[in-house]
Amino acid sequence: MLHFIIFAPLLGSVFSGFFYKKFNEKTVLYFTTSLIFISSVFSWITFFSLDLSSIERIILFKWMESGSLVVNWEIRLDSLTTVMLTVVTTISAFVHLYSLGYMSHDPNWEDSENYKSRFFSYLSFFTFTMLMLVTSNNFVQLFFGWEGVGLASYLLIGFYYKKSTANKAAMKAFIVNRIGDIGLALAIFSTFYYVNSLNFDDLFLNAPIIAEKNIEILFFKFNALEFIVILFFLGAMGKSAQFFLHTWLPDAMEGPTPVSALIHAATMVTAGVFLVCRLSPVIEYTSVASNVIVLVGVVTALFAGTVALVQNDVKRIIAYSTCSQLGFMFSAAGIGLYQAAMFHLFTHAFFKALLFLCSGSIIHSMHHQQDIRTYGGLRKKLPITFYSMMIGTLAITGVGIPLSYDLFHLPIGFSGFVSKDSIIEGIYASKDESAFIYFIFITFAAFLTSLYSWRLIILTFFGEYRGKREYFDNAKEDSRSINITLIILSFCSIFVGIIFYDVFLGKKAEYFFSQSIFLLPSNTILSDLHYIPVWAKLTPLLSMIIGALIAFIFYVQKPNLPKVFSENQNILYKFLINKWYFDEIYNVVFVKSSKWLGNFFWKTGDEKIIDGIINYISLTFIPNLTRFVGRLQTGLIYHYAFAIFIGLVSILTYFLVSMGG
């Protein structure tokens, strides 16, 4: 069963990519989708039947052996693995189903082009590499899956290769992720240096020992374990689009909408969170590194929230919300509340996939128009999409009844309320010196989430339509596969938080994660978050309500206020609309400087120095040398005898002097 879960997507990818000409196209697409659905069903069976008392390790084959380095393709089966298996395969299955309708008539391709089979092949390959990553039991296998996900994302983001913007976005994602991957590679090298092994368990076992060692770099000493963890986190930052390495994620919207849902909900961006939680036996022995993780997470949540406020592209708004929610997850992991990080990863997969696929339904119906300023009044034209997106918004903003678990032993609320509020409460309950400051900032990030989410809903579905009338008149929900996907994900966004709360954070949490998440005795945050003051538990809901009220005032009661605000606060507005000028700064600091350095080495180093020397030697020096040597060739024997005599005298003189010395 486990083998099928992992390799079924690979089979689907190969079948769809290489055999689409031998079979009917519809047959290929349905077969590929069916494999993913079967893989998803088996993943859920594995999730519910997992033996939590031990870790199962399954060796498929020996991969490589060199000296003391032995690497197997080995499956590590524990609760973390099963959570990721269910998330990846389930969301991938829904994305495949959704794509059957969404990609049926893509205007970016000619009718004669076989783009659909290629698209489904990329989707399945993406799923396989992600499964390879999450089931790994050593860092080599993890790295191959990690890079495979990067390759697949490049192919999917740049799927519309006829568009220059898509090609640039794919390259940007690939290059930015390579920066994080350098950190990951260095962390793996450092692990092997200290442990002489690349298996997870060997690093986990030696973590307390490494924590006592120092590493010297350029005359500076660092704690070895802190250094390794920060390098691992650098890799996670790139993959999960955290602050400084986030710039690729919004541009990834150039790919088809199903790609956005897959990347942002279930795969790629969650890999970093999974890696940090997997490394809990190591992170528990760090203080500096864990504080760095919290700080970066909080700053990312704030940054993405502020930028999302002023975006007008429907997919970019949701993309920045992904960036923000990932910040919440890292914040939880940094304070040692790994269970809440995984829980939010779990719930976020469903409501974020729902939001992206709803946006795809809107775009599909509006002739691929993505500017929300041209929307309005679409709730009557797209009722299923409207109600589905409302549910997704209620989930991400955190609508629920505070204290319900304390009163009824059952959390009552949408999935985002159950998981996200637990993170905010956990940050308050943490023993960090800056806990209260983090609590204020993360609460403000929750307020921003509510504000930009309700702004999106109001501008899209309420008020008067503001675009081309023909688009509105022809707008309809005519794809059964799209509608079915939205309905199922809507139910998941409502209930998964309630159903699985006890597993992740409640009575069963300690046992469920007993073999996959390691906590020091001093880490009591999982129990402490249930005993924080009532006002702290009510704060997230209050921030959500305030955000919704401000959105109502700005975009319903007084719709001119945003324009007035942008004009009066022009500097702030430009700062936000230009995404804190990160792209511009990076362009000056890295892109232009690299181009200047490249031109310098080309014009000065290559053309003037290297070519100059070669040209001088070949065109000047050698001809002059040959002419000089030619003059020595007189043809007279006594000249040659004299030269031999001089040579012998020189050799004898050298030896006599050497012996005398």
Side-chain angles (χ1 to χ4, degrees), residues 351-376:
F351 64 71
K352 184 51 57 69
L354 176 62
L355 288 171
F356 264 115
L357 297 183
C358 283
S359 72
S361 177
I362 298 168
I363 295 168
H364 195 261
S365 301
M366 300 304 297
H367 298 265
H368 294 267
Q369 174 59 256
Q370 297 183 196
D371 193 333
I372 61 173
R373 293 172 296 184
T374 63
Y375 295 166

mmCIF file of all heavy atoms in Angstrom, residues 351-376:
data_model
loop_
_atom_site.group_PDB
_atom_site.id
_atom_site.type_symbol
_atom_site.label_atom_id
_atom_site.label_comp_id
_atom_site.label_asym_id
_atom_site.label_seq_id
_atom_site.Cartn_x
_atom_site.Cartn_y
_atom_site.Cartn_z
ATOM 1 N N PHE A 351 -8.471 24.972 3.184
ATOM 2 C CA PHE A 351 -9.119 26.242 2.878
ATOM 3 C C PHE A 351 -8.316 27.092 1.893
ATOM 4 O O PHE A 351 -8.895 27.877 1.160
ATOM 5 C CB PHE A 351 -9.489 27.026 4.141
ATOM 6 C CG PHE A 351 -8.364 27.500 5.025
ATOM 7 C CD1 PHE A 351 -7.519 28.529 4.636
ATOM 8 C CD2 PHE A 351 -8.183 26.943 6.286
ATOM 9 C CE1 PHE A 351 -6.511 28.976 5.464
ATOM 10 C CE2 PHE A 351 -7.173 27.382 7.122
ATOM 11 C CZ PHE A 351 -6.329 28.400 6.708
ATOM 12 N N LYS A 352 -6.986 26.915 1.857
ATOM 13 C CA LYS A 352 -6.233 27.674 0.879
ATOM 14 C C LYS A 352 -6.422 27.087 -0.529
ATOM 15 O O LYS A 352 -6.510 27.837 -1.513
ATOM 16 C CB LYS A 352 -4.751 27.712 1.279
ATOM 17 C CG LYS A 352 -3.868 28.573 0.351
ATOM 18 C CD LYS A 352 -4.410 29.984 0.129
ATOM 19 C CE LYS A 352 -4.607 30.763 1.424
ATOM 20 N NZ LYS A 352 -3.400 31.119 2.077
ATOM 21 N N ALA A 353 -6.452 25.770 -0.642
ATOM 22 C CA ALA A 353 -6.775 25.158 -1.931
ATOM 23 C C ALA A 353 -8.155 25.608 -2.393
ATOM 24 O O ALA A 353 -8.367 25.907 -3.573
ATOM 25 C CB ALA A 353 -6.715 23.635 -1.826
ATOM 26 N N LEU A 354 -9.094 25.679 -1.450
ATOM 27 C CA LEU A 354 -10.441 26.136 -1.770
ATOM 28 C C LEU A 354 -10.418 27.566 -2.299
ATOM 29 O O LEU A 354 -11.057 27.876 -3.320
ATOM 30 C CB LEU A 354 -11.328 26.043 -0.532
ATOM 31 C CG LEU A 354 -12.758 26.588 -0.674
ATOM 32 C CD1 LEU A 354 -13.528 25.800 -1.727
ATOM 33 C CD2 LEU A 354 -13.487 26.530 0.683
ATOM 34 N N LEU A 355 -9.703 28.460 -1.639
ATOM 35 C CA LEU A 355 -9.646 29.860 -2.063
ATOM 36 C C LEU A 355 -9.022 29.998 -3.445
ATOM 37 O O LEU A 355 -9.510 30.754 -4.295
ATOM 38 C CB LEU A 355 -8.859 30.683 -1.039
ATOM 39 C CG LEU A 355 -9.560 30.931 0.297
ATOM 40 C CD1 LEU A 355 -8.599 31.566 1.294
ATOM 41 C CD2 LEU A 355 -10.782 31.817 0.114
ATOM 42 N N PHE A 356 -7.947 29.277 -3.692
ATOM 43 C CA PHE A 356 -7.299 29.354 -4.997
ATOM 44 C C PHE A 356 -8.191 28.791 -6.104
ATOM 45 O O PHE A 356 -8.293 29.372 -7.194
ATOM 46 C CB PHE A 356 -5.967 28.615 -4.975
ATOM 47 C CG PHE A 356 -4.788 29.517 -4.709
ATOM 48 C CD1 PHE A 356 -4.047 29.364 -3.573
ATOM 49 C CD2 PHE A 356 -4.444 30.508 -5.606
ATOM 50 C CE1 PHE A 356 -2.962 30.201 -3.311
ATOM 51 C CE2 PHE A 356 -3.367 31.345 -5.363
ATOM 52 C CZ PHE A 356 -2.629 31.191 -4.208
ATOM 53 N N LEU A 357 -8.832 27.681 -5.835
ATOM 54 C CA LEU A 357 -9.671 27.079 -6.853
ATOM 55 C C LEU A 357 -10.936 27.913 -7.081
ATOM 56 O O LEU A 357 -11.461 27.948 -8.197
ATOM 57 C CB LEU A 357 -10.019 25.648 -6.463
ATOM 58 C CG LEU A 357 -8.803 24.705 -6.357
ATOM 59 C CD1 LEU A 357 -9.250 23.279 -6.045
ATOM 60 C CD2 LEU A 357 -7.956 24.721 -7.621
ATOM 61 N N CYS A 358 -11.417 28.603 -6.041
ATOM 62 C CA CYS A 358 -12.507 29.560 -6.229
ATOM 63 C C CYS A 358 -12.060 30.715 -7.128
ATOM 64 O O CYS A 358 -12.810 31.150 -8.010
ATOM 65 C CB CYS A 358 -12.980 30.111 -4.889
ATOM 66 S SG CYS A 358 -14.020 28.978 -3.936
ATOM 67 N N SER A 359 -10.859 31.203 -6.888
ATOM 68 C CA SER A 359 -10.335 32.273 -7.741
ATOM 69 C C SER A 359 -10.212 31.787 -9.184
ATOM 70 O O SER A 359 -10.476 32.541 -10.130
ATOM 71 C CB SER A 359 -8.983 32.760 -7.223
ATOM 72 O OG SER A 359 -7.957 31.803 -7.463
ATOM 73 N N GLY A 360 -9.829 30.524 -9.354
ATOM 74 C CA GLY A 360 -9.751 29.955 -10.696
ATOM 75 C C GLY A 360 -11.111 29.886 -11.365
ATOM 76 O O GLY A 360 -11.244 30.130 -12.569
ATOM 77 N N SER A 361 -12.136 29.541 -10.575
ATOM 78 C CA SER A 361 -13.493 29.509 -11.104
ATOM 79 C C SER A 361 -13.934 30.900 -11.560
ATOM 80 O O SER A 361 -14.570 31.051 -12.608
ATOM 81 C CB SER A 361 -14.459 28.978 -10.042
ATOM 82 O OG SER A 361 -15.792 28.993 -10.506
ATOM 83 N N ILE A 362 -13.584 31.916 -10.776
ATOM 84 C CA ILE A 362 -13.913 33.297 -11.140
ATOM 85 C C ILE A 362 -13.180 33.695 -12.420
ATOM 86 O O ILE A 362 -13.783 34.236 -13.360
ATOM 87 C CB ILE A 362 -13.546 34.266 -9.993
ATOM 88 C CG1 ILE A 362 -14.361 33.940 -8.746
ATOM 89 C CG2 ILE A 362 -13.777 35.707 -10.419
ATOM 90 C CD1 ILE A 362 -13.863 34.651 -7.501
ATOM 91 N N ILE A 363 -11.882 33.431 -12.446
ATOM 92 C CA ILE A 363 -11.066 33.786 -13.613
ATOM 93 C C ILE A 363 -11.578 33.070 -14.861
ATOM 94 O O ILE A 363 -11.670 33.648 -15.939
ATOM 95 C CB ILE A 363 -9.584 33.446 -13.342
ATOM 96 C CG1 ILE A 363 -9.037 34.319 -12.213
ATOM 97 C CG2 ILE A 363 -8.751 33.628 -14.602
ATOM 98 C CD1 ILE A 363 -7.693 33.853 -11.691
ATOM 99 N N HIS A 364 -11.902 31.793 -14.691
ATOM 100 C CA HIS A 364 -12.419 30.983 -15.793
ATOM 101 C C HIS A 364 -13.722 31.565 -16.331
ATOM 102 O O HIS A 364 -13.944 31.596 -17.551
ATOM 103 C CB HIS A 364 -12.634 29.549 -15.303
ATOM 104 C CG HIS A 364 -12.812 28.549 -16.403
ATOM 105 N ND1 HIS A 364 -14.041 28.093 -16.798
ATOM 106 C CD2 HIS A 364 -11.920 27.907 -17.184
ATOM 107 C CE1 HIS A 364 -13.899 27.216 -17.779
ATOM 108 N NE2 HIS A 364 -12.620 27.077 -18.044
ATOM 109 N N SER A 365 -14.564 32.047 -15.433
ATOM 110 C CA SER A 365 -15.862 32.601 -15.830
ATOM 111 C C SER A 365 -15.750 34.010 -16.401
ATOM 112 O O SER A 365 -16.592 34.432 -17.189
ATOM 113 C CB SER A 365 -16.821 32.619 -14.626
ATOM 114 O OG SER A 365 -17.003 31.328 -14.104
ATOM 115 N N MET A 366 -14.719 34.754 -15.993
ATOM 116 C CA MET A 366 -14.543 36.149 -16.406
ATOM 117 C C MET A 366 -13.524 36.295 -17.526
ATOM 118 O O MET A 366 -12.851 37.331 -17.628
ATOM 119 C CB MET A 366 -14.131 36.989 -15.196
ATOM 120 C CG MET A 366 -15.126 37.006 -14.049
ATOM 121 S SD MET A 366 -16.762 37.546 -14.561
ATOM 122 C CE MET A 366 -16.455 39.169 -15.072
ATOM 123 N N HIS A 367 -13.377 35.268 -18.348
ATOM 124 C CA HIS A 367 -12.503 35.325 -19.518
ATOM 125 C C HIS A 367 -11.069 35.673 -19.129
ATOM 126 O O HIS A 367 -10.408 36.487 -19.768
ATOM 127 C CB HIS A 367 -13.045 36.318 -20.549
ATOM 128 C CG HIS A 367 -14.389 35.955 -21.082
ATOM 129 N ND1 HIS A 367 -14.568 35.253 -22.248
ATOM 130 C CD2 HIS A 367 -15.631 36.182 -20.587
ATOM 131 C CE1 HIS A 367 -15.878 35.071 -22.457
ATOM 132 N NE2 HIS A 367 -16.537 35.622 -21.468
ATOM 133 N N HIS A 368 -10.623 35.076 -18.021
ATOM 134 C CA HIS A 368 -9.252 35.177 -17.530
ATOM 135 C C HIS A 368 -8.868 36.604 -17.120
ATOM 136 O O HIS A 368 -7.699 36.978 -17.160
ATOM 137 C CB HIS A 368 -8.255 34.611 -18.550
ATOM 138 C CG HIS A 368 -8.424 33.126 -18.741
ATOM 139 N ND1 HIS A 368 -7.716 32.201 -18.029
ATOM 140 C CD2 HIS A 368 -9.257 32.416 -19.528
ATOM 141 C CE1 HIS A 368 -8.096 30.980 -18.384
ATOM 142 N NE2 HIS A 368 -9.023 31.082 -19.303
ATOM 143 N N GLN A 369 -9.848 37.384 -16.709
ATOM 144 C CA GLN A 369 -9.616 38.684 -16.110
ATOM 145 C C GLN A 369 -9.365 38.478 -14.610
ATOM 146 O O GLN A 369 -10.173 37.861 -13.913
ATOM 147 C CB GLN A 369 -10.822 39.593 -16.329
ATOM 148 C CG GLN A 369 -10.745 40.942 -15.624
ATOM 149 C CD GLN A 369 -9.554 41.756 -16.041
ATOM 150 O OE1 GLN A 369 -8.554 41.875 -15.314
ATOM 151 N NE2 GLN A 369 -9.628 42.320 -17.228
ATOM 152 N N GLN A 370 -8.247 39.009 -14.069
ATOM 153 C CA GLN A 370 -7.859 38.729 -12.685
ATOM 154 C C GLN A 370 -7.899 39.957 -11.776
ATOM 155 O O GLN A 370 -7.664 39.830 -10.580
ATOM 156 C CB GLN A 370 -6.448 38.103 -12.653
ATOM 157 C CG GLN A 370 -6.377 36.769 -13.354
ATOM 158 C CD GLN A 370 -5.030 36.105 -13.266
ATOM 159 O OE1 GLN A 370 -4.729 35.174 -14.022
ATOM 160 N NE2 GLN A 370 -4.177 36.524 -12.349
ATOM 161 N N ASP A 371 -8.202 41.121 -12.308
ATOM 162 C CA ASP A 371 -8.219 42.360 -11.532
ATOM 163 C C ASP A 371 -9.557 42.477 -10.796
ATOM 164 O O ASP A 371 -10.611 42.587 -11.428
ATOM 165 C CB ASP A 371 -8.006 43.561 -12.447
ATOM 166 C CG ASP A 371 -7.694 44.843 -11.678
ATOM 167 O OD1 ASP A 371 -8.126 44.964 -10.512
ATOM 168 O OD2 ASP A 371 -7.019 45.730 -12.240
ATOM 169 N N ILE A 372 -9.520 42.477 -9.458
ATOM 170 C CA ILE A 372 -10.765 42.521 -8.684
ATOM 171 C C ILE A 372 -11.485 43.848 -8.840
ATOM 172 O O ILE A 372 -12.678 43.947 -8.515
ATOM 173 C CB ILE A 372 -10.508 42.242 -7.191
ATOM 174 C CG1 ILE A 372 -9.573 43.289 -6.578
ATOM 175 C CG2 ILE A 372 -9.959 40.842 -6.998
ATOM 176 C CD1 ILE A 372 -9.427 43.145 -5.064
ATOM 177 N N ARG A 373 -10.792 44.882 -9.320
ATOM 178 C CA ARG A 373 -11.443 46.168 -9.561
ATOM 179 C C ARG A 373 -12.431 46.097 -10.715
ATOM 180 O O ARG A 373 -13.274 46.988 -10.861
ATOM 181 C CB ARG A 373 -10.392 47.254 -9.820
ATOM 182 C CG ARG A 373 -9.539 47.576 -8.604
ATOM 183 C CD ARG A 373 -8.393 48.508 -8.946
ATOM 184 N NE ARG A 373 -7.460 47.879 -9.874
ATOM 185 C CZ ARG A 373 -6.325 48.440 -10.293
ATOM 186 N NH1 ARG A 373 -5.986 49.646 -9.848
ATOM 187 N NH2 ARG A 373 -5.531 47.801 -11.131
ATOM 188 N N THR A 374 -12.323 45.042 -11.537
ATOM 189 C CA THR A 374 -13.264 44.847 -12.644
ATOM 190 C C THR A 374 -14.368 43.856 -12.284
ATOM 191 O O THR A 374 -15.198 43.534 -13.131
ATOM 192 C CB THR A 374 -12.524 44.356 -13.901
ATOM 193 O OG1 THR A 374 -11.935 43.064 -13.639
ATOM 194 C CG2 THR A 374 -11.422 45.332 -14.288
ATOM 195 N N TYR A 375 -14.365 43.363 -11.042
ATOM 196 C CA TYR A 375 -15.403 42.445 -10.587
ATOM 197 C C TYR A 375 -16.547 43.227 -9.940
ATOM 198 O O TYR A 375 -16.677 44.424 -10.099
ATOM 199 C CB TYR A 375 -14.840 41.441 -9.589
ATOM 200 C CG TYR A 375 -13.805 40.490 -10.155
ATOM 201 C CD1 TYR A 375 -13.003 39.720 -9.308
ATOM 202 C CD2 TYR A 375 -13.618 40.348 -11.508
ATOM 203 C CE1 TYR A 375 -12.053 38.841 -9.807
ATOM 204 C CE2 TYR A 375 -12.671 39.465 -12.027
ATOM 205 C CZ TYR A 375 -11.877 38.730 -11.159
ATOM 206 O OH TYR A 375 -10.939 37.860 -11.662
ATOM 207 N N GLY A 376 -17.353 42.507 -9.187
ATOM 208 C CA GLY A 376 -18.479 43.097 -8.474
ATOM 209 C C GLY A 376 -19.785 42.397 -8.821
ATOM 210 O O GLY A 376 -20.078 42.127 -9.992
#
